Amino acid sequence: LHHNIHIIIMSASGGASSKDEISSSPTSLFVPSKLTSEVFSTENPPLDWADAGLLIPHEAIRRQMAMMVQSVNAMSDYPEDKEAWKLTLFSKWYIEYLYESVHEHHDAEEKIYFPWMITKTTIPEKEFGQSHEELMSAMAEIKQCCAEIIKKGGKGCSAQVATLKEKVPKFDVDMRAHLKEEEETVPALLRENFTHEEEGQIVEQILQAGGLGLAKKFLPAVLLAAQEWTTDAFYADFVGSIPPPIKHLVDKYFLPDFENVVMIMRDAPTLASEPKLKRVPCCGIPFCFPCLI
């Protein structure tokens, strides 16, 4: 999948490997004004595979975090028991989706991507490493708080809400700073030391390590974000690059469930009434992939 995305980008840029060699045509792949990045913008648009490779996961993460902060801000300081569902649904979303997706993303960087990069170049490994460690510790603390809420059925959770209101906004700020640091540093190192084919191979290794479980949890967020910050042409090619069996799961199960269940769980604290969550029903055949993962 990621290798095919590289082909899409490089075809539009005439196969160029240096930003200086790229004509203005790649900008037709992106909508810079819709980016949430603090590095790339209308004044400094992403132009090639090295820029887009980071933006694909980062834009999804930043958008999910923005909605997470909105939900935490909407929580009452002294929640009533009748609204316990708001806290439990949000907490389940955080543990099952955001925590797993971001943790997998950072594990892949630390264990596969950055070790691969330092075979040819020097990166601020200590700075990134320390940042990762601190971010994962913060995420674990939020996860523990959410686990306590679930254990209590969302009732009598004023202390947990206070913890979320303290830790979630700080985590959001720290994570955005970390993503900014990567977007400022990594693309130039990639262009100077690697080809887009080489980077595609290592990302393919990361995707295989994540498997269908990660695709179910994170790919819908990536696609929904890409609908906003990429052009219709890029998005059509992006979706077209997904292998047919995976695309079937995405279209019929992963994306509908993400929009109709997962996003509602995330946004529960902002809702006025308790939603009725309904996932796409199982097809009923033995060894049903959506059920198995």
Side-chain angles (χ1 to χ4, degrees), residues 38 58 61-62 65 68 98 102-103 105-106 109 131-132 135-136 138-139 168-183:
E38 297 179 46
H58 287 188
I61 291 171
R62 279 191 289 259
M65 290 196 308
M68 172 182 65
L98 188 76
V102 176
H103 205 285
H105 172 70
H106 284 292
E109 287 184 336
S131 182
H132 276 187
L135 287 168
M136 292 304 99
M139 289 201 77
V168 167
K170 184 179 185 306
F171 166 70
D172 176 64
V173 170
D174 291 344
M175 174 64 84
R176 288 176 186 275
H178 173 74
L179 299 181
K180 177 185 178 184
E181 181 186 34
E182 290 185 347
E183 290 169 13

Side-chain angles (χ1 to χ4, degrees), residues 100-120:
E100 291 294 329
S101 297
V102 176
H103 205 285
E104 184 76 25
H105 172 70
H106 284 292
D107 276 355
E109 287 184 336
E110 281 203 319
K111 297 177 182 178
I112 301 176
Y113 200 81
F114 288 155
W116 166 73
M117 286 188 67
I118 62 176
T119 62
K120 288 189 177 182

Side-chain angles (χ1 to χ4, degrees), residues 52-213:
L54 284 178
L55 288 173
I56 287 169
H58 287 188
E59 284 296 308
I61 291 171
R62 279 191 289 259
R63 281 169 165 80
Q64 292 301 304
M65 290 196 308
M67 300 309 295
M68 172 182 65
V69 172
Q70 178 176 296
S71 286
V72 170
N73 287 339
M75 293 177 181
S76 170
D77 290 338
Y78 303 99
E80 299 180 19
D81 287 352
K82 65 180 181 180
E83 294 187 335
W85 56 271
K86 294 185 177 185
L87 302 182
T88 56
L89 287 178
F90 172 86
S91 297
K92 289 177 181 178
W93 166 79
Y94 177 85
I95 292 174
E96 296 173 10
Y97 288 89
L98 188 76
Y99 179 84
E100 291 294 329
S101 297
V102 176
H103 205 285
E104 184 76 25
H105 172 70
H106 284 292
D107 276 355
E109 287 184 336
E110 281 203 319
K111 297 177 182 178
I112 301 176
Y113 200 81
F114 288 155
W116 166 73
M117 286 188 67
I118 62 176
T119 62
K120 288 189 177 182
T121 186
T122 301
I123 59 175
E125 185 177 6
K126 182 179 180 181
E127 197 171 339
F128 280 150
Q130 182 181 21
S131 182
H132 276 187
E133 182 179 346
E134 292 172 351
L135 287 168
M136 292 304 99
S137 176
M139 289 201 77
E141 291 176 358
I142 297 171
K143 179 182 179 182
Q144 177 60 35
C145 185
C146 288
E148 292 172 5
I149 289 173
I150 294 171
K151 185 176 181 179
K152 298 177 72 172
K155 297 179 180 180
C157 293
S158 295
Q160 285 74 23
V161 168
T163 298
L164 290 178
K165 286 179 177 284
E166 173 193 352
K167 295 187 178 297
V168 167
K170 184 179 185 306
F171 166 70
D172 176 64
V173 170
D174 291 344
M175 174 64 84
R176 288 176 186 275
H178 173 74
L179 299 181
K180 177 185 178 184
E181 181 186 34
E182 290 185 347
E183 290 169 13
E184 288 174 332
T185 307
V186 172
L189 295 175
L190 290 174
R191 290 187 199 96
E192 293 166 4
N193 298 280
F194 302 94
T195 66
H196 70 278
E197 289 87 356
E198 289 173 327
E199 203 257 357
Q201 291 172 1
I202 200 68
V203 173
E204 199 68 40
Q205 182 180 336
I206 291 172
L207 293 175
Q208 290 176 5
L212 282 175

